[in-house]
Amino acid sequence: MPTALDPPSDSSRRILDAVRRHPSAVLLTAQLLAVLAYPFADGSTVGRAFLGAMGTGVVLIALWAVRRTPALGWIAVLLGGPAMVFSILEAFVDKDAVVLTSALLHAPFYFYVSYGMIRYLFHDDRVTTDELYATGAAFTVVAWGFAYVFVACQIIWPGSFGGDQLRFFDLLFLSFTNLTSVGLSDILPTMGHARSFVMIEQVAGVLYVALVIARLVGLTVARQANRN
C-alpha cells in the first residue's frame, strides 16, 4: 500500500510535469472553476470565505503563471500580495472601504497579469501549447480585472448600474458579456462613469480578438505552410 513517503508514481509525475509546463492552463482552469463555484457559495459567510480562499488561490496561480512571462515579477508580487489579504478580509468584513480597497488592488493586478501574458504570447514567433492556454487565460483575467473596476465604480458612484449595489458575480457576468461582445447581460450602466468603463472594455475585447487571436492564427498557418 503506497504511503505519503513513497515517491510519486509515473502517472503522478507526468501530471506534475504537465502542470509545471503549462501554468497558463492551470490559471485558466482555476478561473473557470471559480466562475462555476460562485452561484453555490456566494450566499453565506462560509461560502464567501471559501470564495475568498479560492480568489487567493487564483492570485497565487496568476503570480506563478506570470513568472514564465517577460513581465516584471516583482510588480505582480507587489500588487498580488495585498490583493490576497483582501480576498479573505472582504469575505468577513462587508464594508465599502474594504471592498473598494480590494477592488483597487485586484483590478491593476489582473490587468498587469494579462499584460504579462500578452507579452508572453508576442515574445517569439512560435506557438506553444502553453501559449494557446495563455490566450484563454489572459482573456478571462481581463474580464476579472474589469469586474473589479465595476465594483469600485459602483462604490464611488452609487447607482452606477441602477438601484442597489450589485454582487461581484453579477458584475463579472456583465464584464464577460461586454468583453465577448455578445450583449447578453440584463445589467446596464446607468451613469456616465460606468458607461465609460463599459465602452473601454468593449474596445479591449475587440482589440484582443483582432490583435492576439489573429496573430496566433497567422503564426499557426505560417508554421503549417513551412512544414509543407
Side-chain angles (χ1 to χ4, degrees), residues 40-53 87-94:
F40 294 99
D42 196 33
S44 66
T45 301
V46 174
R48 287 193 297 271
F50 169 76
L51 292 175
S87 290
I88 301 293
L89 184 60
E90 67 177 317
F92 297 96
V93 184
D94 189 17

Side-chain angles (χ1 to χ4, degrees), residues 13-222:
R13 282 196 295 269
R14 285 195 296 269
I15 293 173
L16 291 174
D17 184 59
V19 168
R20 284 193 293 266
R21 287 186 292 108
H22 303 303
S24 300
V26 179
L27 176 58
L28 176 60
T29 301
Q31 294 278 83
L32 296 179
L33 288 176
V35 168
L36 294 174
Y38 261 97
F40 294 99
D42 196 33
S44 66
T45 301
V46 174
R48 287 193 297 271
F50 169 76
L51 292 175
M54 179 175 284
T56 300
V58 170
V59 171
L60 287 172
I61 295 169
L63 288 171
W64 173 48
V66 84
R67 287 179 58 246
R68 295 280 298 273
T69 76
L72 296 176
W74 66 268
I75 295 180
V77 172
L78 186 64
L79 294 171
M84 285 191 297
V85 174
F86 276 87
S87 290
I88 301 293
L89 184 60
E90 67 177 317
F92 297 96
V93 184
D94 189 17
K95 300 291 186 181
D96 281 354
V98 174
V99 176
L100 177 61
T101 303
S102 178
L104 293 177
L105 288 169
H106 278 87
F109 168 74
Y110 280 120
F111 288 141
Y112 187 77
V113 170
S114 65
Y115 159 75
M117 289 190 162
I118 291 173
R119 282 193 62 184
Y120 175 45
L121 295 172
F122 279 79
H123 84 287
D124 58 28
D125 293 331
R126 296 185 305 110
V127 181
T128 65
T129 301
D130 190 60
E131 287 179 356
L132 293 176
Y133 288 122
T135 304
F139 193 79
T140 59
V141 165
V142 171
W144 282 60
F146 272 103
Y148 279 108
V149 170
F150 298 155
V151 170
C153 182
Q154 72 172 0
I155 293 176
I156 297 173
W157 298 285
S160 289
F161 299 96
D164 298 330
Q165 288 188 3
L166 299 175
R167 300 178 307 158
F168 174 77
F169 186 67
D170 296 325
L171 296 174
L172 184 62
F173 177 66
L174 172 65
S175 182
F176 269 100
T177 57
N178 274 287
L179 194 63
T180 55
S181 299
V182 297
L184 293 176
S185 181
D186 57 345
I187 303 168
L188 298 175
T190 58
M191 297 182 66
H193 293 92
R195 290 180 174 180
S196 295
F197 290 130
V198 166
M199 286 188 285
I200 290 174
E201 184 177 23
Q202 290 169 343
V203 172
V206 172
L207 290 178
Y208 187 88
V209 174
L211 298 177
V212 178
I213 305 299
R215 182 177 185 274
L216 288 179
V217 171
L219 290 176
T220 302
V221 171

